[in-house]
Amino acid sequence: MQRRPIAAATALLSLMLAIPLSATSAATAAAAPKGARLEQTTQLPRGVRPTHYDVALVPDAAHASFAATVTISIEVQQPTNTITLNATDLAFSRVTLTQGSSVPQVGAVSIDADAQTASFKFAQPLAKGSYRLTLDYTGVIGQQAVGLFSLDYDSTSGKQRALYTQFENSDARRMIPSWDEPFYKASFTLQATVPAGQMAVSNMPAASTTVLPDGRQLVKFPATPKMSTYLLFFGLGDFERASTMAGNTEVGVITTRGGKDKAAFALEASKTILKEYNAYFGVPYPLPKLDNVAAPGRSQFFGAMENWGAIFTFEYAMLLDPAISTQSDKQNVFSIAAHEMAHQWFGDLVTMRWWDDLWLNEGFASWMESRMTAQLHPEWNTELGAVGVREGAMARDSLASTHPVVQHVDTVEQASQAFDDITYAKGESVIRMLENHVGAEAWRNGVRLYMRTHAYGNTVSDDFWSAIETASHKKVRDIAHDFTLQPGVPLITVSSAACRGSSTRVELTQGEFSRDQPNKTALRWRVPVTLQSVGSSRPVHTIVTGGKASVSVPGCGPVLVNAGQTGYYRTLYAPQQLAPLTAGFATLQPIDQIGLMADSWALGLAGLQSPANFLDLADATAPTADAQVWGTIARVFSAIHAYYKGDAARQQRFDNYAISRLAPVFGKLGWNAVTGENGTAANLREQLLVTLSNLNDKATIAEARRRYQAGAGDDAMPAPLRKAITAVVAQHADGATWDALRRSAQAEKSPMIKDRMYALLASSDDSVLAGRALELALTDEPGVTNSSAMLATVAGSHPEMAFDFALANIDKVNQRVDATSRSRYFPGLVASSSEPATIDKINAYASANLAPGSRREVDTAVGGIRYRIKVRNERLPAIDQWLTAHGK
Ligand code: BES
Ligand code: ZN
């Protein structure tokens, strides 16, 4: 999963075309009866349930294996002689069952590897009642972030190996035989036998540490509250910890030795956020401590994980190094911590019943993350990011391969695919819209009621709507159902706006914004719409119901629809309405400028208006406009540049124009930070440097090279631009430069910088060097957790080459991408392609390798490729014409 702002950026670039309606999952999803609850899915027989797990673990990091014993307290609710639970890659040596002080019954083991289950059969049938099931077993320690895994890293004292766990969505079963579904909450006690001198970490603070006769230590952790298996955590290594108190909770950060100082900002942020969340949620954080554990390396699919009391975060997303960290790194550290900490309530305390309602975790944590970051750091202006989040959602939601926010999930692989922009970004956007509709205070009361009512339990989405309606005395369920049980993006068309005296009568109609089904019959939504006459301070709220609305808006200025941008819909203005908004563009609030630009661009690409409308808005933007407005323009310019790929002359003409607009803005910011400047200026400086590099701006590239040559000790490489300057040099490297970059990667001791250097080696525009990066990725040199990221980085600029290479080396690639994530990884490699032939290749990959129910990511990638082809053919001419008309 990538960070939201990145997803938003790509969204602005993305495109599509017509896929036959009947072939899509969206068609089926749309046909599901509204409001219908599917029966709870399970992959286990329901007659037996666990109440407590007592786990004794003996990891052997050097041999990549572990031995363990678990005693599970169970309730047999339906008589049976067989107990089935989840287990993956575990070998059982002894299985016994006792009741009270009875003589243990020995169970016969059978394993179903495909179903990821183990069954234990007993000679005597088990009557209803309480039992204890004791299992002795061994398992494996992997090198990808699933189950119990190891991360190797260089340190000043040599090679080190640390252990961590990653259990979401369905990998607790690789360490503990368990009812590994979110519904089966139980408490856990854990004890671990570990080497002397190492620190063992789990959800709870260690209760005791005993030195064993052989010198090893036995660390015991007290019982957790009732919780889902996917939230359990265990970590072990040469760690250090810093901590502080936030009320009654000890807040800690844990790093590998030597890293503690770089975690100071994360620690301070965690403390601030915890206090704020205790106040917001009404239910105080219930565990005695909350650690955030930083780990070297990376995963292709996540950066951080919300284990209860022991958040896991890869170092690059948590540590700040004054030598290289940027303003945007700092903001990311804060918002990632805010996201994982929001899960301590949305997810850990109250958990979705099944993966169908995953958005109750991810949509809500994403919304809370944005809300709290904006509230606690108003100077960062992050609330303007809401439009980017919404764009990320709409890009995906306007293709036939989309799905409703609440969806049916059957398999482990489908659960893994559910961690997507619909769940996260549409979820967040819909929550923002509904919070705005109900009012912030009433909404908060609803959230508090929901937490109080369902603490330590499981929920479905309707439990949340009930709490909001009860607490707010407002209706929200119908609108919520429209936006979460059916897929797609509403399109609000402003068909006319007429001034009558001191107000304007506005006619609205509701359709659907689809990128690849232009003739689709629009679904119906009840859409909360906010309108405002520019210059008037009085917004009007209405709900467009049954497809149309007629609204009177005070004032006679141009009418802005979706003022404040909290609505999840696109707005299409008739030309007479758009013209005055364009003319008065500079007077709009920055959030509305960004929203109007985003709509203009998306509607332009889809052929619902001219793509030149966006260029008119960008052209009318003064160099003094808000930094994030320029950020939006820079992203779209990069996208247009990419559409022109392969057509050097036309691309060059556009680039010249884009550079002529962006270079002066960059020039005003300068290469060095100005004392006291706003954080958004620092972000824009970094972003423009990267964009000008993408646009092949010779002056910028030459200056970056000059500074890089001048060296890091110099003023030439200010720390906050060090990464960006190195990235420019890497993107435009020649063979000798690439070799030099590789030598510095080899010599680098800091795992965080080393990982980044290998990613940069994969970012070359030159196809020969990109080919060398592909070869390098699959050697042992970059480290196993960097390989898949390097291929994905090459794929960003050379999708066909990276995909062909990955297919040619599929066994090696599969070793480096965990099994449930492959159905997302391979289609991700062609996410920027616009080659017709690639469609057949990715479809062939899917037919050969994917279960029919796991095709969604492939269908989305294909939809994206078709759309980009269509944009290149049908929309670029309007951009050429605009350039000609403007004398460029
Ligand atoms: N619960 C997820 C981590 C996760 C993702 C586990 C996919 C299993 C599969 C976590 O809360 C998360 O969303 N992490 C994000 C960062 C967040 C700030 C958006 C990530 O890792 O990208
Ligand atoms: Zn999350």
Side-chain angles (χ1 to χ4, degrees):
M1 175 118 340
Q2 43 190 347
R3 293 283 306 133
R4 302 298 102 196
I6 302 172
T10 33
L12 276 169
L13 339 174
S14 40
L15 347 168
M16 50 323 276
L17 165 99
I19 304 182
L21 222 179
S22 56
T24 69
S25 57
T28 345
K34 262 187 161 182
R37 287 297 326 170
L38 296 147
E39 276 308 298
Q40 177 173 1
T41 314
T42 177
Q43 289 151 350
L44 294 169
R46 278 287 181 231
V48 179
R49 58 184 53 212
T51 56
H52 182 77
Y53 295 84
D54 186 17
V55 186
L57 179 71
V58 187
D60 182 352
H63 296 102
S65 66
F66 64 89
T69 299
V70 61
T71 297
I72 313 174
S73 307
I74 56 173
E75 298 289 330
V76 173
Q77 297 176 323
Q78 284 158 26
T80 176
N81 64 351
T82 306
I83 297 176
T84 300
L85 45 59
N86 290 114
T88 303
D89 288 346
L90 301 179
F92 295 90
S93 51
R94 189 179 146 82
V95 174
T96 57
L97 186 79
T98 55
Q99 186 170 36
S101 54
S102 72
V103 180
Q105 272 202 69
V106 175
V109 182
S110 59
I111 302 284
D112 183 338
D114 287 340
Q116 303 188 329
T117 57
S119 295
F120 311 117
K121 194 168 176 187
F122 299 94
Q124 310 290 326
L126 315 175
K128 279 190 190 179
S130 310
Y131 297 80
R132 286 153 55 87
L133 174 68
T134 300
L135 310 169
D136 292 339
Y137 61 99
T138 56
V140 292
I141 299 179
Q143 292 190 301
Q144 300 295 327
V146 284
L148 179 61
F149 67 98
S150 64
L151 289 171
D152 293 348
Y153 60 98
D154 274 339
S155 79
T156 40
S157 51
K159 291 244 178 258
Q160 302 281 348
R161 172 168 290 184
L163 302 183
Y164 306 89
T165 56
Q166 171 58 29
F167 288 171
E168 192 176 21
N169 40 311
S170 306
D171 290 308
R173 61 190 68 170
R174 292 174 184 274
M175 189 175 100
I176 304 173
S178 52
W179 280 260
D180 189 18
E181 297 183 352
F183 178 72
Y184 287 110
K185 289 197 173 187
S187 52
F188 295 81
T189 43
L190 178 65
Q191 52 178 290
T193 304
V194 305
Q198 297 213 339
M199 189 188 291
V201 187
S202 188
N203 307 74
M204 300 293 283
S208 69
T209 301
T210 322
V211 179
L212 300 175
D214 63 3
R216 291 183 300 170
Q217 320 171 76
L218 177 65
V219 185
K220 293 189 175 177
F221 298 94
T224 66
K226 251 182 92 181
M227 64 182 218
S228 303
T229 46
Y230 77 90
L231 293 168
L232 198 70
F233 179 77
F234 176 72
L236 177 67
D238 184 21
F239 297 157
E240 54 184 9
R241 178 170 189 262
S243 68
T244 178
M245 293 304 290
N248 295 327
T249 310
E250 191 178 82
V251 178
V253 284
I254 293 173
T255 63
T256 58
R257 187 167 303 286
K260 197 165 76 173
D261 294 345
K262 300 191 187 100
F265 179 74
L267 181 62
E268 197 48 42
S270 303
K271 179 178 174 163
T272 313
I273 295 165
L274 188 66
K275 288 185 182 164
E276 204 57 41
Y277 282 176
N278 278 331
Y280 187 91
F281 288 114
V283 179
Y285 176 76
L287 272 55
K289 63 99 177 172
L290 173 55
D291 282 322
N292 197 342
V293 184
R298 62 199 312 151
S299 150
Q300 260 301 288
F301 296 103
F302 74 104
M305 172 67 206
E306 68 267 23
N307 314 299
W308 212 357
I311 294 168
F312 171 94
T313 308
F314 282 107
E315 283 179 358
Y316 70 84
M318 178 174 157
L319 303 187
L320 294 179
D321 182 340
I324 54 158
S325 293
T326 62
Q327 172 67 23
S328 57
D329 290 335
K330 189 172 183 175
Q331 293 182 198
N332 279 340
V333 168
F334 192 91
S335 61
I336 292 168
H339 179 102
E340 304 312 332
M341 289 174 69
H343 276 311
Q344 306 297 303
W345 284 263
F346 282 119
D348 298 3
L349 182 64
V350 181
T351 313
M352 74 259 143
R353 192 173 73 173
W354 179 246
W355 305 106
D356 295 13
D357 286 294
L358 177 62
W359 86 296
L360 288 176
N361 277 12
E362 299 302 348
F364 281 77
S366 300
W367 159 75
M368 198 66 179
E369 158 202 349
S370 299
R371 192 181 200 290
M372 280 297 153
T373 306
Q375 179 185 321
L376 297 170
H377 281 288
E379 77 284 8
W380 293 343
N381 248 342
T382 51
E383 66 275 11
L384 299 189
V387 176
V389 171
R390 192 180 71 198
E391 286 304 304
M394 288 185 175
R396 174 114 193 198
D397 207 16
S398 53
L399 289 177
S401 57
T402 189
H403 61 87
V405 168
V406 178
Q407 58 177 329
H408 182 58
V409 168
D410 253 326
T411 63
V412 162
E413 202 166 54
Q414 287 173 354
S416 165
Q417 289 192 357
F419 290 83
D420 67 3
D421 270 337
I422 298 299
T423 300
Y424 279 75
K426 183 173 182 180
E428 172 179 346
S429 305
V430 168
I431 296 163
R432 184 172 293 116
M433 173 170 75
L434 296 174
E435 180 194 20
N436 194 59
H437 175 67
V438 169
E441 202 177 314
W443 183 266
R444 187 193 61 199
N445 291 336
V447 170
R448 288 179 171 180
L449 178 62
Y450 172 78
M451 290 297 162
R452 226 172 31 240
T453 313
H454 300 287
Y456 307 101
N458 294 82
T459 53
V460 294
S461 299
D462 271 347
D463 294 320
F464 185 79
W465 307 132
S466 297
I468 295 290
E469 292 195 333
T470 305
S472 69
H473 309 292
K474 288 192 180 146
K475 286 189 58 163
V476 57
R477 192 183 306 253
D478 290 346
I479 300 173
H481 281 180
D482 287 353
F483 282 87
T484 57
L485 302 181
Q486 55 184 8
V489 182
L491 176 68
I492 298 292
T493 300
V494 188
S495 45
S496 77
C499 177
R500 304 230 181 95
S502 60
S503 65
T504 307
R505 163 85 28 206
V506 184
E507 306 299 331
L508 304 175
T509 55
Q510 179 248 298
E512 181 171 347
F513 175 72
S514 169
R515 297 193 295 156
D516 58 356
Q517 304 174 87
N519 303 318
K520 180 174 191 297
T521 305
L523 295 172
R524 277 269 177 270
W525 291 262
R526 280 152 281 204
V527 188
V529 173
T530 304
L531 306 94
Q532 192 163 6
S533 164
V534 176
S536 149
S537 56
R538 287 167 49 210
V540 173
H541 305 283
T542 188
I543 298 177
V544 176
T545 308
K548 47 165 148 310
S550 175
V551 198
S552 173
V553 182
C556 274
V559 171
L560 183 72
V561 174
N562 208 355
Q565 305 300 317
T566 52
Y568 187 77
Y569 54 88
R570 290 211 181 280
T571 308
L572 175 63
Y573 296 94
Q576 313 85 281
Q577 271 75 53
L578 187 60
L581 283 172
T582 306
F585 189 64
T587 68
L588 302 182
Q589 293 296 316
I591 186 102
D592 292 322
Q593 292 179 328
I594 296 172
L596 189 57
M597 279 187 169
D599 273 342
S600 281
W601 179 237
L603 296 167
L605 290 185
L608 292 165
Q609 60 181 35
S610 169
N613 290 351
F614 169 82
L615 293 174
D616 288 338
L617 294 176
D619 210 52
T621 302
T624 49
D626 185 276
Q628 290 174 81
V629 172
W630 275 106
T632 306
I633 294 172
R635 273 195 286 272
V636 176
F637 282 180
S638 270
I640 297 175
H641 166 87
Y643 285 127
Y644 277 118
K645 189 174 173 180
D647 196 336
R650 289 163 81 205
Q651 188 178 53
Q652 187 62 56
R653 180 161 81 138
F654 173 75
D655 289 353
N656 290 346
Y657 165 70
I659 293 166
S660 78
R661 297 293 345 262
L662 299 181
V665 182
F666 183 69
K668 231 168 54 75
L669 290 165
W671 286 74
N672 295 303
V674 181
T675 329
E677 75 181 5
N678 192 310
T680 58
N683 288 339
L684 183 61
R685 176 183 296 113
E686 193 189 352
Q687 193 193 343
L688 287 179
L689 184 49
V690 171
T691 307
L692 287 165
S693 172
N694 283 340
L695 295 168
N696 294 316
D697 177 36
K698 292 200 179 58
T700 301
I701 297 166
E703 178 63 6
R705 283 185 177 138
R706 188 193 69 74
R707 286 168 176 266
Y708 185 76
Q709 291 303 333
D714 196 350
D715 248 16
M717 292 269 276
L721 278 192
R722 210 160 280 178
K723 290 201 282 194
I725 289 173
T726 317
V728 176
V729 170
Q731 184 180 10
H732 302 284
D734 56 17
T737 310
W738 196 89
D739 288 336
L741 286 167
R742 179 171 172 192
R743 280 192 300 276
S744 38
Q746 287 164 335
E748 181 57 56
K749 282 279 173 258
S750 152
M752 196 159 80
I753 302 181
K754 197 181 180 86
D755 289 347
R756 189 171 164 81
M757 296 295 301
Y758 281 103
L760 286 183
L761 284 168
S763 71
S764 171
D765 278 352
D766 182 283
S767 52
V768 175
L769 296 177
R772 282 167 69 182
L774 292 173
E775 297 291 345
L776 177 61
L778 294 186
T779 67
D780 290 337
E781 183 181 321
V784 277
T785 62
N786 278 326
S787 310
S788 56
M790 286 179 72
L791 297 195
T793 305
V794 172
S797 38
H798 310 275
E800 277 67 39
M801 190 177 170
F803 183 75
D804 292 347
F805 180 85
L807 269 194
N809 295 278
I810 191 163
D811 292 338
K812 281 188 173 173
V813 173
N814 282 344
Q815 276 167 22
R816 289 160 170 86
V817 178
D818 70 86
T820 36
S821 302
R822 287 170 201 153
S823 66
R824 293 194 279 165
Y825 184 76
F826 281 87
L829 295 177
V830 296
S832 72
S833 166
S834 47
E835 274 297 324
T838 302
I839 296 173
D840 294 336
K841 285 193 212 165
I842 186 73
N843 277 327
Y845 165 80
S847 312
N849 295 285
L850 299 184
S854 300
R855 282 195 56 114
R856 189 192 279 152
E857 299 292 317
V858 165
D859 294 340
T860 302
V862 168
I865 296 171
R866 291 202 166 126
Y867 193 63
R868 271 187 294 280
I869 294 168
K870 179 168 168 149
V871 166
R872 281 164 64 96
N873 292 337
E874 297 178 21
R875 309 291 169 238
L876 289 185
I879 293 179
D880 296 330
Q881 280 158 22
W882 186 92
L883 290 169
T884 305
H886 289 75
K888 311 292 177 198

